[in-house]
Amino acid sequence: MKVVIVGGVAGGATAAARIRRLDEHAEIIIFERSGYVSYANCGLPYYIGGVIPYKEDLTLQSPEGFWERFRIDVRVRHAVTAIDPAARTVTVQDLERGVTFTESYDKLLLSPGAKPTRPPLPGIDSPRIFTLRTVEDTFRIRSFVERSAPRSAVLVGGGYIGLEMAENLAELGLQVTVVQRPRQLMNTLDYDMATFVHAAMRAHGVDLRLGSDVTGFADTAAGLRVELKGEAPLEADMVLLAIGVSPDSELARKAGLELGLKGSIVVNDRMETSVPDIYAVGDAVQVRHTVTGENAVISLAGPANKQGRIAADNICGGDSRYRGSLGSSVIKVFDLTVASTGLTCKAAQAAGLDWDRVVLSPASHATYYPGASTMTMKVVFERGTLRLLGAQIVGYDGVDKRLDVLATAIGAGIRADRLKDLDLAYAPPYSSAKDPVNMAGFMIENLATGKVKQFHWEDVEALPRDGSVTLLDVRTPMEYELGHVPGFFNLPVDVLRDYVDRLDPAKPVYLFCQSALRSYIAGRILSQRGFDCYNFSGGYRFYQVVSTEREACRSAWPCGMAKE
């Protein structure tokens, strides 16, 4: 059997090694357009920033290493330009020698990845404008930084690459500005959770231009001018475009393979395309979202590796199936860790689901053990069925651990309230006896059984301040004086029972505290005395971060922000 693989990195390289482990006699050829077949794609920004000091550390495997260990023929700087499914051949151009030839195959695997979006804007071809996809791109950017010593950079786009590059360039001492057309960073988060990212970026000196639209570029004597729609232009020494990626599927399109969302390659759960004996994996393929069951394009290294293994199994006569993607991800934003999986609230809304959420701010481990830090968790679930839909977490220590537990629970079909029953490891340096994931389960069970009713940050402004409802902040007087929501009066939970007779049981009661725990206790005290109580989801700490960012947005855009 002769297997030709187009593209290396995560999907193609993984598939090649797996095929060899399953079939010692197969002839395996990898054609890779770039000069590197297997490299740490996700580590590229950190080499530019000097966190990864040596370029050799980016290379996971070389062509020579593939041959020595696996007897796999890897040909870098070779671009496959056409596929002839009837003849079972590919046309290949040797980019070094300028020679074109054909190669036959029994099985063909496509792993072309995704290419950075590069809109046709005026001045887009300036040598000071970069994109980041390959090792060569990385060397080009790092060389420019070392050679030209830029003092400022504009990053167009607020996704993973944009934020990682913003951090690394800022750490090198550059003045960094992020320009983002949507009014929040990271579309894998809901707006309220993204405000924590905004705060972290600003705290580290990064200028955010949210809701701004780049219309073009112009080289100047001083550097580069970035034109903005309806705003004064920005001046910078360099620009990085990180406004998204699109499947690199032109080769598949020309060969007549069926394409789907965003031009992605349509595959079944065996990673087979619409043409027999042609498989496809990685960022270029359309997959099924695990939660919604709908088609999706999810460009992440984890799914690409799994798909490569599955395709290899099936190429070798097995029957492996891809079960879908949740889009689980984690990113470092300076000292903050940001992670998400499954659906956000806005995605659940778009999918037509009857969703709800809980927001909590637990400690990373037992607070009596030194070093505990606070994380903010948002768990999204379906009303009625209590099906877990997604989760988002921002914090410092232990974020990735909790996100992975929640992703596993979603994949396993564990009901949201059953999170309380998970038997998770505990020791004071690592967790609490009631792990944050357990706490989310407790809260969801309380909602499902009617012990608690909630209100949310987007509801606060609309609450009447005319005395028709009771607005209580049950924190200590000192906490209240340091900051509170206008219209809420202070009545600490520890003295609440002494003042119950002064409250009107005919009026709904809206409760605030720092983390929503004391307000929950206050709500239980009052509800058992006949009061209709609503607990603020997330607590004052959460409200303060969101409202501060929202006010900043209002200052820039008087029309205000849309509700979640």
Side-chain angles (χ1 to χ4, degrees), residues 128-371:
R128 292 177 176 268
I129 298 177
F130 303 89
T131 57
L132 181 58
R133 180 190 185 186
T134 66
V135 173
E136 288 90 344
D137 294 334
T138 309
F139 294 162
R140 193 176 303 115
I141 296 171
R142 178 155 168 171
S143 175
F144 178 84
V145 170
E146 292 175 342
R147 184 182 67 254
S148 302
R151 293 174 296 175
S152 61
V154 169
L155 277 65
V156 185
Y160 295 105
I161 293 296
L163 297 189
E164 288 172 345
M165 281 300 299
E167 174 185 345
N168 279 278
L169 292 177
E171 295 286 8
L172 288 176
L174 278 72
Q175 176 55 54
V176 176
T177 301
V178 176
V179 180
Q180 169 86 327
R181 181 182 294 171
R183 293 178 179 172
Q184 73 164 75
L185 302 175
M186 296 190 66
N187 64 6
T188 55
L189 302 177
D190 286 313
Y191 170 76
D192 50 10
M193 298 296 283
T195 61
F196 287 84
V197 181
H198 300 172
M201 296 288 281
R202 290 195 175 103
H204 287 84
V206 176
D207 182 19
L208 302 182
R209 299 297 183 93
L210 306 178
S212 295
D213 194 4
V214 174
T215 58
F217 308 92
D219 285 303
T220 67
L224 192 64
R225 186 170 65 248
V226 182
E227 303 286 354
L228 303 178
K229 184 177 181 180
E231 300 179 60
L234 299 172
E235 301 292 335
D237 295 322
M238 63 180 292
V239 167
L240 179 83
L241 296 177
I243 54 180
V245 296
S246 56
D248 193 351
S249 57
E250 181 62 15
L251 182 65
R253 185 193 66 78
K254 291 192 298 184
L257 276 64
E258 182 183 354
L259 302 183
L261 290 176
K262 302 179 182 179
S264 58
I265 303 170
V266 173
V267 293
N268 60 18
D269 60 358
R270 288 169 48 86
M271 310 313 297
E272 296 168 322
T273 71
S274 59
V275 175
D277 296 321
I278 300 181
Y279 298 74
V281 299
D283 294 351
V285 306
Q286 176 177 285
V287 298
R288 182 183 63 84
H289 196 285
T290 305
V291 176
T292 65
E294 300 294 326
N295 293 327
V297 178
I298 297 175
S299 300
L300 293 168
N305 275 280
K306 297 179 186 70
Q307 292 160 12
R309 179 184 174 92
I310 289 166
D313 287 353
N314 295 322
I315 285 170
C316 294
D319 187 24
S320 291
R321 307 278 174 163
Y322 188 64
R323 305 301 178 187
S325 294
L326 276 173
S328 301
S329 64
V330 63
I331 182 174
K332 174 182 176 292
V333 181
F334 293 99
D335 54 349
L336 191 70
T337 301
V338 184
S340 64
T341 188
L343 300 183
T344 59
C345 292
K346 59 189 174 186
Q349 182 75 25
L353 298 171
D354 184 18
W355 57 272
D356 202 350
R357 79 281 202 186
V358 293
V359 179
L360 59 157
S361 300
S364 57
H365 61 249
T367 54
Y368 61 81
Y369 187 89

Side-chain angles (χ1 to χ4, degrees), residues 191 346 457-462 550 560-564:
Y191 170 76
K346 59 189 174 186
W457 65 266
E458 66 268 27
D459 302 321
V460 172
E461 285 185 9
R550 201 160 183 244
M561 294 293 299
K563 282 190 176 183
E564 184 181 32

